[in-house]
Amino acid sequence: MAELTADQIAKQDKVSGKAWGILAVTYLASFCAPLCQFKIPPLASWLFPAFHGALDSVTFGTLMSAIAIIGVVLAFPAAFIARRMGLKNVILLSVACLGVGSALGGLANDLAGLMGSRLLEGVGIGLIGVAAPSCVTIWFPERKRGLALGIWATWVPVGSVVAFNTAPAIAGAFGYQAVFFAIAVVCAVAFALFALVYKMPPGATGDMGVEGTFKESLRYCKNRRIWILGAVFFLFAFTTIGIMNTYYNTFLETQLGFDAQTASTLSSVIMFLSLIVAPLTGFVSDRLPLGRKYIVGLVMMLLLIPTGFFMFYTGNGAVAVMWVTIVLQGVGGGMCGGSLRPMAPMLMRNTAMGATMAMAIMQFCQNLGSAVGSPLFGAVMSQTGWQTASLVLQLPAYVLAFVLCFFILPRGKNVKKLDDVPAEEAWPSGF
């Protein structure tokens, strides 16, 4: 029996067993990325002594921002790299960069070597986040893609939860280098399984539907509202990924007295809550009128603003405040992926290139925010202390993001059908 073509798969009502196998190996490959990215924060207690004299709060933040910097560089050309190499080869290249980068990090005996390994991991993370969704999409019917992509979208919170909970235990038993090598082994397994199992369906080109040249795609950047949404993502990543994900478990350990394993586990609860909240928020957002979707962003920021005041509180009742912070960060942070990210393609829906560029802008702003947030917070914190640094950096960022949420989408009489507006010309003049 002949295999179904990509177009036939898209029109089917049932999902084939092969499609679920494709999703499984793509998920495992994607899962390697957050394992690599988030192994650093829970290893702070081992890395600081190991690189004594070379590692401080600023350079520790740079170990996290190094990956994001590569994400900034790759955000726009990633789709064109996928078109040239093909989706499968891009995923294999990504996982290879992650595995080799992690192994080199385990072998590094100086900060320069460790930083170089993080840059290589950043290449893998930057490419896989763009290519993996398309690898899944082309194997699922149009009516079932939402479920498939919803499952795939858990790769970051699941990977981060696993990294935060396993890294301290492995490091405590075998040394921090064992964490790097263990992740390299996971990457090797993921590489082999993806190479053996994944293939493109007949008729699929593997080019992510990208048309035109890179220069031609830049016209989509004229859309002002996509940059407003991008600014919200920048501020969110600046605070949540750049600061909270990087430093919170270290704060719990050094300032509140938790051991490394407990501090990492407590920090991972935030990601676990986000894992639950994100799909629920997407469900609610889908049912809101276009002109009211921004409300979810406002609620998200209202939940996060208080954490700018007391995330790094050390006074009386600090443990109770810690739990409030964990809940607000988990719920508020989870709402971002389920509500704001889906708005991006809504702003530029007339072509596949428009949607691709919209997501590229989101990746660019998110990676730029985390790249700036980690070292900047480390520098300010070392001079002013934990709580003052949060008041100076986090609180204004959350307030500004709250205000910008009002201008992401048109409201009231200004609401237009987005399909009737050329993506590169959507609301080009003013707010």
Side-chain angles (χ1 to χ4, degrees):
M1 183 176 178
E3 287 189 275
L4 296 178
T5 67
D7 288 340
Q8 290 172 329
I9 290 173
K11 297 175 182 178
Q12 290 290 303
D13 291 324
K14 294 183 179 180
V15 180
S16 67
K18 181 177 290 186
W20 291 116
I22 292 294
L23 174 60
V25 295
T26 305
Y27 189 95
L28 179 59
S30 304
F31 170 79
C32 295
L35 281 183
C36 287
Q37 182 174 7
F38 293 106
K39 67 176 179 282
I40 294 297
L43 293 178
S45 294
W46 290 269
L47 292 175
F48 276 96
F51 295 90
H52 179 69
L55 192 62
D56 56 24
S57 58
V58 178
T59 52
F60 182 75
T62 306
L63 287 175
M64 289 297 290
S65 68
I67 280 181
I69 290 170
I70 299 300
V72 170
V73 175
L74 290 177
F76 291 102
F80 294 88
I81 294 172
R83 182 170 69 174
R84 178 64 64 90
M85 294 183 60
L87 287 171
K88 181 174 182 177
N89 289 333
V90 168
I91 297 295
L92 291 175
L93 174 62
S94 301
V95 179
C97 288
L98 291 167
V100 173
S102 191
L104 290 176
L107 295 171
N109 54 17
D110 58 32
L111 189 59
L114 184 59
M115 196 70 69
S117 75
R118 295 295 283 171
L119 292 173
L120 184 57
E121 289 173 330
V123 174
I125 294 171
L127 290 175
I128 204 165
V130 176
S134 296
C135 287
V136 174
T137 296
I138 58 177
W139 272 101
F140 280 80
E142 291 180 355
R143 296 180 181 180
K144 304 293 185 180
R145 287 174 181 171
L147 173 62
L149 290 176
I151 294 172
W152 174 82
T154 64
W155 62 300
V156 173
V158 170
S160 60
V161 167
V162 172
F164 270 84
N165 282 280
T166 60
I170 296 173
F174 306 105
Y176 79 88
Q177 295 95 335
V179 177
F180 288 74
F181 296 137
I183 293 175
V185 171
V186 174
C187 291
V189 172
F191 182 97
L193 288 175
F194 191 86
L196 289 172
V197 174
Y198 193 89
K199 69 175 183 176
M200 301 294 293
T205 61
D207 62 2
M208 299 178 65
V210 176
E211 73 282 351
T213 65
F214 179 71
K215 183 177 180 180
E216 291 170 343
S217 72
L218 295 179
R219 73 182 189 272
Y220 292 96
C221 296
K222 296 178 181 180
N223 186 319
R224 293 189 181 184
R225 290 189 185 270
I226 196 68
W227 288 105
I228 297 173
L229 179 60
V232 175
F233 263 80
F234 170 86
L235 294 166
F236 173 79
F238 176 88
T239 53
T240 300
I241 301 175
I243 298 175
M244 188 275 295
N245 284 356
T246 302
Y247 291 101
Y248 194 58
N249 67 299
T250 301
F251 165 79
L252 295 179
E253 185 179 351
T254 61
Q255 304 301 307
L256 297 190
F258 292 100
D259 62 80
Q261 180 67 63
T262 302
S264 293
T265 299
L266 288 170
S267 297
S268 73
V269 174
I270 297 173
M271 293 79 157
F272 181 77
L273 291 174
S274 297
L275 176 63
I276 299 171
V277 171
L280 294 177
T281 306
F283 178 83
V284 172
S285 180
D286 285 344
R287 281 151 182 78
L288 289 175
L290 175 63
R292 294 289 180 267
K293 291 182 183 293
Y294 73 98
I295 294 175
V296 182
L298 295 178
V299 174
M300 177 183 80
M301 291 305 165
L302 283 175
L303 292 172
L304 294 175
I305 284 173
T307 67
F309 285 101
F310 53 69
M311 175 178 287
F312 299 110
Y313 173 76
T314 56
N316 294 331
V319 173
V321 172
M322 174 200 73
W323 281 110
V324 174
T325 299
I326 288 173
V327 172
L328 291 178
Q329 277 286 331
V331 175
M335 293 177 74
C336 181
S339 62
L340 295 185
R341 188 177 290 275
M343 291 184 191
M346 291 181 186
L347 295 174
M348 299 195 289
R349 287 178 60 186
N350 65 334
T351 65
M353 175 61 80
T356 299
M357 289 301 292
M359 298 310 293
I361 290 172
M362 292 301 98
Q363 287 295 104
F364 173 81
C365 293
Q366 177 177 313
N367 286 314
L368 184 62
S370 57
V372 173
S374 295
L376 181 59
F377 182 83
V380 176
M381 183 269 291
S382 64
Q383 297 296 320
T384 66
W386 292 91
Q387 193 162 14
T388 301
S390 181
L391 290 171
V392 170
L393 297 176
Q394 285 190 289
L395 185 59
Y398 285 135
V399 172
L400 179 56
F402 175 82
V403 174
L404 288 174
C405 284
F406 283 99
F407 303 105
I408 295 172
L409 291 169
R411 305 187 305 279
K413 295 181 180 180
N414 294 321
V415 175
K416 298 178 181 180
K417 291 183 178 180
L418 297 179
D419 289 331
D420 297 334
V421 182
E424 66 272 27
E425 299 176 3
W427 309 290
S429 58
F431 294 159

